[in-house]
């Protein structure tokens, strides 16, 4: 062995010492590359078949076959024969689906078994849709077919629940499913009975028309609200039939099936599916979504929470095209109440803004006939502008900045001046603008806002001066008191809550405005009173003032 170090970069030669191969061989562990199995050319097809799409394609092909049978006059000529064939084929198919699901569950083939259970819940309401398509069959036959279809559907669901014990099908979901099955069983019967009294096509009146409307407005939203009664999403285990999302999925399939059923009934019996019919259901589903997100995510991000709270407000736009705006007004009133409750419970600023926006929408959606009671020139555009102005006024009232106070006062005066049709409208606008600015000034921080106290006193002086001119020159009578009394009441409430006067300018101005009407009446009476009587009254007044001066002299004489 040589004594000098080995130079690995030197060229190999006779004079270079040879290094054993054990020392120069690469480390098999350090240089080992991860082995990836080569991709097989048909791996994607195998993965696709794992999800077993044949079941879904089979169901779609069955429904397409029903359509072809109904549209082929050469196969079965009568409507009753077509209905019997389709119903019989569907009941046989669903029986095979349920039996196969139970068989696969017994062999622990959980995915395919769960897929078949979902397929059964997808098809469970299809028999009633098929019955609804037969508009001219005998009412007795409708009773018989609906009752039989309802009993068979209930029997299949009971078999699935009992024969697959691991299926996540809680008792509360069973109760909800029973209600929805009963509703879908009764709908074809009700529509068929009312069809006998319906006159003409595309009716817009009558018992059948009104029943169809109120089913969409009341019954369907009530079914949508049942989603909030579902048990919390809890996993029963790691198997497919034990997944936590199965109850909500089953309910969604039933709800979509009910919607399709009602659409088919309306199509068969000539009822248009207008947007305002869907608005209540969409509104309920959006609020239910808020409830479900709050259950599953106790602390969602503010952005998520705000986006969800906005959805019910947007859903009311579906009802906006309605002529009378009845559905829009009802949903908007409910939004106002809902956002108000959320704000009172959580003090969320976003809920307050949504409450104000809903109020603006409510004002803008008032019927045109109601607006005519306020004035002949008021239209819907004026109401929308007034609603938007009210929103700005409330936002200004919530801000403690003096600039927002001036903006709110200007907007409030503009709203009154635009809506009012009274000869004294301009005076009312001035009074309300000045009163708003005075009340807003109670939120100002005079130590941080330069000149805030002087602006408050100047505003109070302007309010008193205008009230005096309005009363003595324009004959306002007692109208200034209608503004001064709420202002004085608000100041007294604030004094009671805070335990001190925020500023003497506001209560003093309100008191002087209250004295303007009786002062004018007293001035008129004094002009008619005898001079001697006035002199005697004046002497008593001066005597009282002298007594007050004598009692308070020790406070002010030495200064």
């Amino acid at each position: 062995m040589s004594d000098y170090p080995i130079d690995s970069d030197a060229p190999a030669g006779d004079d270079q010492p040879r290094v054993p191969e054990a020392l120069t061989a690469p480390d098999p562990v350090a240089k080992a590359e991860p082995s990836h199995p080569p991709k097989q050319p048909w791996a994607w097809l195998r993965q696709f078949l794992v999800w077993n799409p044949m079941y879904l394609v089979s169901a779609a092909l069955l429904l397409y076959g029903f359509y072809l049978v109904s549209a082929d006059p050469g196969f079965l000529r009568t409507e009753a024969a077509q209905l019997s064939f389709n119903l019989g084929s569907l009941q046989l198919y669903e029986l095979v689906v349920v039996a196969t699901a139970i068989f696969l569950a017994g062999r622990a083939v959980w995915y395919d078994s769960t897929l078949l259970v979902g397929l059964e819940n997808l098809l469970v309401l299809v028999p009633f849709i098929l019955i609804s398509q037969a508009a001219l069959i005998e009412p007795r036959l409708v009773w018989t077919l609906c009752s039989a279809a309802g009993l068979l559907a209930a029997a299949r669901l009971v078999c699935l629940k009992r024969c697959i014990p691991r299926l996540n099908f809680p008792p509360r979901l069973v109760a909800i499913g029973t209600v929805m099955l009963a509703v879908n069983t009764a709908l074809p019967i009700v529509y068929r009975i009312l069809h006998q009294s319906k006159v003409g096509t595309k009716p817009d009146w009558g018992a059948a028309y009104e029943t169809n409307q109120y089913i969409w407005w009341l019954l369907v939203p009530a079914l949508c609200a049942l989603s909030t009664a579902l048990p919390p999403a809890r996993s029963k285990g790691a198997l497919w039939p034990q997944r936590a999302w199965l109850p909500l999925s089953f309910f969604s399939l039933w709800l979509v099936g009910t919607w399709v059923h009602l659409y088919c009934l309306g199509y068969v019996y000539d009822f248009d599916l207008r947007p305002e019919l869907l608005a209540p259901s969409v509104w309920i589903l959006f609020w239910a979504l808020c409830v479900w997100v709050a259950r599953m995510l106790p602390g969602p991000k503010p952005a998520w929470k705000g986006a969800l709270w906005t959805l019910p407000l947007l859903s009311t736009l579906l009802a906006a095209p309605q002529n009378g705006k009845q559905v829009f007004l009802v949903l908007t009133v409910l939004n106002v109440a809902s956002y108000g409750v959320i704000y009172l419970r959580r003090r969320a600023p976003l809920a307050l803004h949504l409450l104000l926006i809903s109020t603006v929408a409510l004002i803008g959606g008032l019927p045109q006939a109601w607006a005519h009671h306020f004035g002949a020139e008021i239209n819907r555009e004026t109401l929308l502008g007034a609603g938007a102005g009210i929103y700005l006024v409330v936002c200004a009232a919530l801000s403690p900045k003096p600039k927002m106070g001036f903006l709110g006062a200007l907007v409030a005066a503009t709203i009154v001046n635009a809506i009012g049709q009274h000869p004294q409208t301009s005076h009312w606008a001035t009074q309300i603008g000045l009163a708003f600015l005075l009340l807003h000034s109670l939120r100002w921080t005079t130590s941080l806002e330069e000149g805030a106290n002087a602006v408050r006193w100047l505003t109070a002086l302007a309010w008193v001066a205008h009230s005096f001119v309005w009363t003595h020159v324009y004959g306002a009578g007692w109208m200034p008191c209608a503004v001064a009394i709420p202002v004085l009441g608000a100041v007294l409430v604030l004094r009671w809550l805070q335990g001190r006067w925020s500023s003497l300018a506001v209560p003093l101005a309100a008191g002087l405005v209250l004295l303007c009407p009786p002062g004018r009446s007293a001035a008129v009476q004094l002009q008619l009173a005898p001079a001697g009587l006035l002199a005697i009254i004046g002497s008593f007044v001066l005597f009282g003032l002298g007594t007050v001066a004598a009692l308070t002299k020790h406070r002010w004489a030495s200064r």
Side-chain angles (χ1 to χ4, degrees), residues 118-427:
L119 185 60
E120 166 60 22
N121 283 275
L122 176 65
L123 299 175
V124 69
L125 299 180
V126 175
F128 306 105
I129 298 176
L130 294 177
I131 296 172
S132 301
Q133 298 301 306
L136 301 178
I137 61 176
E138 291 295 328
R140 291 184 179 180
L141 184 58
V142 175
W143 278 85
T144 304
L145 293 178
C146 287
S147 302
L151 292 175
L152 290 174
R156 289 193 301 269
L157 293 178
V158 169
C159 288
L160 286 175
K161 180 174 174 55
R162 291 191 175 183
C163 297
I164 308 179
R166 296 186 179 182
L167 184 62
N168 190 2
F169 210 94
R172 201 180 303 178
L173 181 63
V174 174
I176 294 175
T178 302
V179 172
M180 300 192 76
L181 186 59
V183 168
N184 282 274
T185 303
L187 284 176
I189 300 173
V190 172
Y191 275 76
R192 184 63 183 91
I193 293 174
L194 293 175
H195 179 67
Q196 298 177 356
S197 60
K198 186 167 68 72
V199 179
T201 59
K202 301 294 182 181
D204 56 359
W205 61 276
Y209 176 79
E210 296 295 334
T211 302
N212 179 69
Q213 285 198 133
Y214 282 101
I215 285 176
W216 279 105
W217 286 342
L218 298 179
L219 181 60
V220 179
L223 295 178
C224 295
L226 290 177
S227 61
T228 59
L230 289 172
R234 294 175 182 175
S235 178
K236 303 293 185 179
L239 300 178
W240 274 97
Q242 298 173 329
R243 299 299 173 91
W245 44 264
L246 282 179
L248 184 59
S249 301
F250 294 154
F251 175 83
S252 301
L253 293 175
W254 300 339
L255 188 60
V256 171
T258 304
W259 281 29
V260 174
H261 187 195
L262 274 172
Y263 169 76
C264 293
L265 284 169
Y267 177 80
V268 170
Y269 294 106
D270 291 328
F271 297 124
D272 291 330
L273 183 59
R274 305 184 305 276
E276 66 268 15
L277 297 179
L278 296 174
S281 301
V282 176
W283 182 83
I284 287 287
L285 287 178
F286 281 151
W287 278 117
L289 180 62
C290 296
V291 173
W292 269 95
V293 171
R295 286 181 183 177
M296 300 173 64
L297 301 174
K301 295 182 179 180
W304 280 99
K305 189 183 301 183
L308 292 175
W309 286 352
T310 308
L311 292 178
L313 177 63
L314 297 178
S315 66
T316 59
L317 298 179
L318 284 174
Q322 188 183 15
N323 291 330
K325 299 288 188 298
Q326 294 91 341
V327 177
F328 176 82
L329 292 175
V330 171
L331 295 181
T332 305
V333 169
L334 293 175
N335 272 340
V336 169
S338 302
Y339 292 133
V341 171
I342 293 176
Y343 178 71
L344 292 176
R345 295 181 60 182
R346 305 186 184 183
R347 296 296 178 182
L350 177 61
L352 178 60
H353 283 280
L354 293 175
L355 167 64
L356 297 176
I357 294 173
S358 298
T359 305
V360 171
L362 180 63
I363 296 174
L366 290 175
Q368 196 71 28
W370 294 11
H372 289 164
H373 292 292
F374 298 96
E377 299 180 2
I378 296 180
N379 50 28
R380 193 173 303 284
E381 289 74 17
T382 304
L383 290 176
L384 282 173
I390 293 174
Y391 174 68
L392 292 177
V393 169
V394 176
C395 291
L398 296 175
S399 174
K401 296 181 179 180
K403 294 180 180 180
M404 295 300 295
F406 281 100
L407 176 62
L410 179 61
V411 173
T414 304
I415 293 174
V416 175
N417 198 41
I419 294 181
Q421 301 294 327
H422 194 271
Q424 304 283 352
T425 297
S426 59
H427 295 288

Side-chain angles (χ1 to χ4, degrees), residues 331-537:
L331 295 181
T332 305
V333 169
L334 293 175
N335 272 340
V336 169
S338 302
Y339 292 133
V341 171
I342 293 176
Y343 178 71
L344 292 176
R345 295 181 60 182
R346 305 186 184 183
R347 296 296 178 182
L350 177 61
L352 178 60
H353 283 280
L354 293 175
L355 167 64
L356 297 176
I357 294 173
S358 298
T359 305
V360 171
L362 180 63
I363 296 174
L366 290 175
Q368 196 71 28
W370 294 11
H372 289 164
H373 292 292
F374 298 96
E377 299 180 2
I378 296 180
N379 50 28
R380 193 173 303 284
E381 289 74 17
T382 304
L383 290 176
L384 282 173
I390 293 174
Y391 174 68
L392 292 177
V393 169
V394 176
C395 291
L398 296 175
S399 174
K401 296 181 179 180
K403 294 180 180 180
M404 295 300 295
F406 281 100
L407 176 62
L410 179 61
V411 173
T414 304
I415 293 174
V416 175
N417 198 41
I419 294 181
Q421 301 294 327
H422 194 271
Q424 304 283 352
T425 297
S426 59
H427 295 288
W428 278 109
T430 304
Q431 286 278 306
I432 291 176
L434 293 173
F436 177 87
L437 184 58
L438 273 180
L439 288 176
H440 193 274
S441 69
L442 297 178
R443 303 194 62 197
W444 300 351
T445 305
T446 55
S447 59
L448 299 179
E449 303 290 345
E450 184 178 357
N453 195 32
V455 171
R456 183 187 295 117
W457 279 100
L458 288 176
T459 305
L461 181 61
W463 186 28
V464 174
H466 178 265
S467 301
F468 180 82
V469 172
W470 191 20
T471 303
H472 291 270
V473 177
Y474 294 96
W478 293 86
M479 285 188 284
C481 296
V483 181
I485 291 176
V487 172
L488 186 60
V491 172
L492 293 176
V493 170
L494 190 63
R495 166 69 174 80
W496 177 66
L497 294 175
Q498 294 182 350
R500 60 182 179 85
W501 294 104
S502 299
S503 175
L504 291 177
V506 182
L508 182 61
L512 292 177
V513 170
L514 286 174
L515 291 176
C516 286
R520 183 178 184 277
S521 300
V524 173
Q525 295 297 327
L526 288 176
Q527 292 177 0
L528 301 177
L533 178 60
L534 295 178
I536 294 174
I537 294 175

Side-chain angles (χ1 to χ4, degrees), residues 58-103:
S58 170
L61 189 60
L62 178 73
L63 297 178
Y64 181 65
F66 293 159
Y67 167 75
L68 294 179
V69 169
S70 301
D72 186 5
F75 179 55
L76 297 171
R77 299 183 180 277
T78 63
E79 191 176 42
Q82 294 176 356
L83 179 60
S84 301
F85 178 82
N86 288 338
L87 277 179
S89 302
L90 180 61
Q91 295 297 332
L92 177 61
Y93 184 84
E94 290 191 75
L95 181 62
V96 173
V97 167
V98 171
T100 307
I102 295 173
F103 171 75

Side-chain angles (χ1 to χ4, degrees), residues 5-13 16 19:
I6 300 172
D7 186 5
S8 60
D9 295 333
Q16 290 289 339
V19 181

